[in-house]
Amino acid sequence: MKLPTIFVNHGGGPLPLLGKQPDIVQHMKDILTHHLSPTNERPKSIIVISAHWETSLPIQITSSPHPTMYYDYNGFPAETYQYKYNAPGSPKLASKVQHLLQNNGIDCELNETRGYDHGVFVPLMIMYPEANIPIVCISMHSSLDVELNMKIGSSLAPLREDENEQVLIVGSGYTFHNLNAFFNP
């Protein structure tokens, strides 16, 4: 089965997990209900491109079999730094992603140390709380060059076309990420 490519609004830091953004939590659950559940198929693996991981070239691809947590926020209650999402990584899928990107002329490398940032763990804790689906994360290019980032995305198409792979591709972000400018106009 060919799974869709989706974008989720992951909310502000850990706020959805604290019950502070119920509309965003409902948005994530609605994606499951309306876009993924009609076939009752679960992905075999998930690729996440989070707005919270920008790098210059080479593009980075997580490749640890057991990624750590990366709490890329501050000023929240202590409990938010204790969240765990123990979904495995997939070195095999990471290598496939690297191969696909390189075949499309995109300089990239595997990264065994990057953990799950909140753009990864917040939506997946809500959508797949069992944490039993392997995850690979890919950085966005820090220039935010549309053509380059679209090329990264289109390079992943063969993973969606192969029905044996059953890879769900998730873009994760929020409508606004410069919170300093937001709170201090």
Side-chain angles (χ1 to χ4, degrees), residues 2 35 55 68 127 134 145 152 167 185:
K2 182 177 174 181
H35 300 289
T55 62
T68 60
M127 297 170 71
D145 177 86
I152 292 168
V167 174

Side-chain angles (χ1 to χ4, degrees), residues 60 62-64 67-68 70 110-116:
Q60 302 290 299
T62 60
S63 60
S64 171
T68 60
Y70 176 47
L110 300 178
N111 182 318
E112 293 184 18
T113 60
R114 174 71 180 202
Y116 297 145

Side-chain angles (χ1 to χ4, degrees), residues 24-138:
I24 290 175
V25 171
Q26 190 59 51
H27 157 76
M28 292 178 212
K29 290 179 179 179
D30 287 347
I31 287 173
L32 284 177
T33 303
H34 301 300
H35 300 289
L36 298 171
S37 294
T39 61
N40 292 320
E41 292 286 336
R42 292 178 58 85
K44 289 183 181 175
S45 56
I46 300 172
I47 294 174
V48 181
I49 301 172
S50 167
H52 292 280
W53 193 19
E54 296 176 11
T55 62
S56 58
L57 293 175
I59 295 299
Q60 302 290 299
I61 305 158
T62 60
S63 60
S64 171
H66 305 287
T68 60
M69 298 294 284
Y70 176 47
Y71 304 103
D72 59 326
Y73 46 75
N74 58 53
F76 290 96
E79 69 192 74
T80 66
Y81 302 91
Q82 303 303 313
Y83 291 139
K84 298 291 181 215
Y85 193 70
N86 295 320
S90 175
K92 181 178 176 183
L93 179 59
S95 292
K96 287 181 184 179
V97 168
Q98 181 183 35
H99 179 75
L100 289 168
L101 295 180
Q102 288 174 336
N103 283 351
N104 283 284
I106 300 169
D107 186 19
C108 61
E109 67 183 15
L110 300 178
N111 182 318
E112 293 184 18
T113 60
R114 174 71 180 202
Y116 297 145
D117 63 55
H118 78 272
V120 178
F121 72 79
V122 168
L124 295 182
M125 284 176 78
I126 293 166
M127 297 170 71
Y128 296 104
E130 305 86 7
N132 58 4
I133 302 171
I135 301 167
V136 168
C137 305
I138 304 171

